[in-house]
Amino acid sequence: MSTSGDERDRRTEFELLARTHAEMLEAYLRTLLRGGNLLDDMFQETLIVAWRKFETFDRTRPFDTWLRGIARVCLLEQARKQRVQPASMDPEVLSAIDRRFEVLSRDADGSSFVQRVERLVQCMGRLPEAMRQAVDLVCAREIPIVAAARSLDLSEETLKKRVQRGRQLLAECIGLNGNSEGVPQ
Amino acid sequence: MSSTPRLGHGESNGDGTPAHPAQTADELIAEGLLRHLSNRDASATEQRLAAAMAAIDQEKAGPRAATPAAPRFRTPRWALAAAAIVVIAGTAMMLGIPGEQSAMAQVQQTLAAMRSVGDRRYVVQLDGADETNGGMPNGIIDTRSPGLLLIQHRPPWQREFTTVGRDEQGKWAIRSDGQVERANPNRYWPPWVTIDGESLFADSLDELLESLPKAYTLGTPVRESLQGGDRVYSRITATRINTSGPQPHVVDLWIDPETRLADRVEFRWNRGPGGHSHTEGEHGAPREDGDEGRFDHGPDHNHKHHDGPRRPMPDHEHDFDDHHEPHSSPDGRGRAPHDHDHEHDDDFVNMPPLAMMQWMGEEGVMLMWSSKPGGRKGGPPRGEGRGKGGPGLLTFQRIPVPELPTDWFTPASHMPATESPEEPGLGKSAGNGE
């Protein structure tokens, strides 16, 4: 009975932790996945693997960091099987992404991951309109470059540069590198 | 396999040198978080979580478990996903497909909220209207479901406001002689509610919004704040499926996630095919701000059938008369017929529109309707619909409304005041400036 009770407790603890960090996991996977169609699958795969390994989880360490590590391994495994296409396979880029998620998750001012991410909304509002439209269409709405360029009456190259600059400004604005409020007022 | 193309991230710095991994990471995260915010849905997250926990429970129960806990996510998911992608790919060029259902649900909720919330008030700004309005609103709309409407608008080239409405008996208008016109009230209605003989919103703003799910493709809801404000809205862009006819090509809604009301509605008309918008200047020159906005071009007015609100024509009864009404301020801007005193703010309900604007502070009103993302203070964007051309943008901004009297939507409530002008007691038709 006690084994069954322990199992229930463990499951309850795992579900609680998973629920707490579910939105972070979604955001992380959306960052790593090229396209969001497989988000559901990767989300589930990550949690199943995490559950299997939950006994080995060191409770003195942050759960979200541990979960991201599992998500990353799962993603690379699926990429190796050519089931998903990651946004990057470069280990340096992936490590840099992990470091930035650490920053987002443990903000010095005490705001939560969700609160930190929501700042992006204000940052978007501060982008110059033309840049905001470009970023909105291409990044947020995932409109293909060709269609977005046509919609904005821009060349694809101009649109790409505008989006790239917009992304950089947004990254500065939410302080991924310790800076903040990088977008000009 | 997922194949939605994504723009290269930090591939080069423009000078051919490869970007630093940190820069690539920054860009990937910015984009990932944006997509996350755009697609964020608490119920979807909960569903994912529940499915994962069900799959875990199923795994714990062993391979002999009776029913798969979450077949959608598990067994054939890669194959199913691939099949889904094939279907989705065919329509991937269409705006907003990924979030269609969510957008649809939000619009339906908004319509339901609008029907139940009671009275609403909007200030209307028409880009491309003549310059004589001095940046003042083109109209103020009060609406009460079902179908009651009051519009206080300033006709072209007029300094005073005209009051029109619809009550249980139908449309009415207060004529310039102070009498009620019910036989032929349309001539007193603002030109921007009727385009080429077709009504933009025949009964109410709600009616056009009700047509959105059928006649428009709804884009993915985006969380967005209006410039100068902290409140985060769900912005839904609806693109008209068939662009013939006068209805706006694009409707943008800013929905308050708490009240479910559309706090801002924008109607936009695209540039005609191959034609230059009149908003670009006399000779099709680029707009002065160099902004290649996608929806901000007015209709081609050389075309036989205009798209978008027609340019308001002067009423022959009061054509071009430059009246210097006693209510106009020396600087040419209108002011309240009653010299409104801020001590009388309780009389907000009965204030004529100009007085109400004065009460709110002109700058406050201006900020309100220029507070679109990327908008400028003090009026519409430069070069956008100003000058000769017709409007490319019609904006409705919801503002607080006090409890309106029961008979507010009847003409009796808006007959010309007979009391002393010092008393801002009753609303007054401003007439047509005759």
Side-chain angles (χ1 to χ4, degrees), chain B residues 369-380:
Chain B
W369 70 65
S370 66
S371 60
K372 62 185 176 182
R376 294 184 306 115
K377 282 185 180 182

Side-chain angles (χ1 to χ4, degrees), chain B residues 116-391:
Chain B
S116 61
V117 73
D119 299 333
R120 283 166 287 138
R121 174 168 286 171
Y122 295 89
V123 289
V124 182
Q125 178 72 357
L126 179 70
D127 277 10
D130 64 283
E131 297 277 3
T132 59
N133 71 357
M136 301 293 276
N138 295 88
I140 291 172
I141 296 178
D142 291 334
T143 179
R144 176 185 295 167
S145 287
L148 298 181
L149 194 65
L150 182 89
I151 301 177
Q152 298 173 89
H153 71 103
R154 206 179 65 92
W157 299 284
Q158 302 301 310
R159 297 194 190 285
E160 298 297 341
F161 274 66
T162 293
T163 303
V164 300
R166 185 179 41 255
D167 57 13
E168 286 82 357
Q169 298 175 50
K171 282 184 172 181
W172 55 264
I174 306 288
R175 298 195 315 232
S176 51
D177 61 6
Q179 299 303 304
V180 178
E181 174 67 54
R182 282 195 181 271
N184 185 22
N186 284 342
R187 61 179 303 185
Y188 297 97
W189 278 57
W192 36 264
V193 300
T194 311
I195 305 165
D196 285 354
E198 285 194 48
S199 176
L200 195 55
F201 47 97
D203 290 328
S204 65
L205 182 61
D206 301 2
E207 189 168 273
L208 190 135
L209 298 185
E210 282 167 3
S211 75
L212 287 182
K214 286 181 183 173
Y216 290 75
T217 301
L218 303 181
T220 306
V222 176
R223 290 167 60 79
E224 190 169 281
S225 57
L226 295 169
Q227 191 179 50
D230 291 332
R231 182 179 289 271
V232 178
Y233 293 92
S234 177
R235 194 191 98 198
I236 295 175
T237 299
T239 309
R240 193 143 62 92
I241 296 166
N242 179 355
T243 55
S244 63
Q247 279 71 34
H249 295 155
V250 178
V251 175
D252 267 315
L253 304 176
W254 275 264
I255 297 171
D256 185 324
E258 290 178 11
T259 65
R260 301 291 182 189
L261 293 173
D263 274 5
R264 185 184 180 89
V265 181
E266 290 183 359
F267 295 168
R268 295 174 184 270
W269 287 263
N270 292 342
R271 162 169 43 191
H276 290 292
S277 161
H278 286 258
T279 62
E280 294 180 56
E282 287 282 342
H283 306 290
R287 288 168 35 184
E288 58 184 288
D289 59 357
D291 176 18
E292 312 90 335
R294 100 194 114 127
F295 299 130
D296 50 6
H297 300 286
D300 182 352
H301 286 262
N302 290 327
H303 198 274
K304 186 176 177 182
H305 298 290
H306 300 175
D307 279 348
R310 68 170 182 258
R311 178 173 173 78
M313 295 300 291
D315 189 321
H316 70 271
E317 284 188 358
H318 37 75
D319 39 349
F320 303 106
D321 269 350
D322 187 13
H323 297 285
H324 297 283
E325 300 88 348
H327 305 316
S328 296
S329 61
D331 65 359
R333 293 193 174 193
R335 65 180 177 85
H338 307 297
D339 195 7
H340 181 65
D341 187 326
H342 286 255
E343 291 173 6
H344 297 284
D345 287 349
D346 289 344
D347 295 316
F348 184 93
V349 169
N350 293 316
M351 280 180 209
L354 281 174
M356 189 179 77
M357 283 173 246
Q358 208 170 52
W359 177 82
M360 293 173 70
E362 183 178 319
E363 193 175 352
V365 177
M366 299 284 286
L367 264 175
M368 209 178 316
W369 70 65
S370 66
S371 60
K372 62 185 176 182
R376 294 184 306 115
K377 282 185 180 182
R382 286 169 294 169
E384 189 172 76
R386 291 288 197 172
K388 274 186 137 184

Side-chain angles (χ1 to χ4, degrees), chain A residues 23 30 33 40 45, chain B residues 6 26 35 40 48 77:
Chain A
E23 189 164 346
R30 283 192 170 112
L33 279 170
D40 287 344
E45 189 75 21
Chain B
R6 282 174 77 178
D26 282 348
R35 287 194 294 131
R40 194 179 183 198
R48 282 186 193 104
R77 59 185 191 272

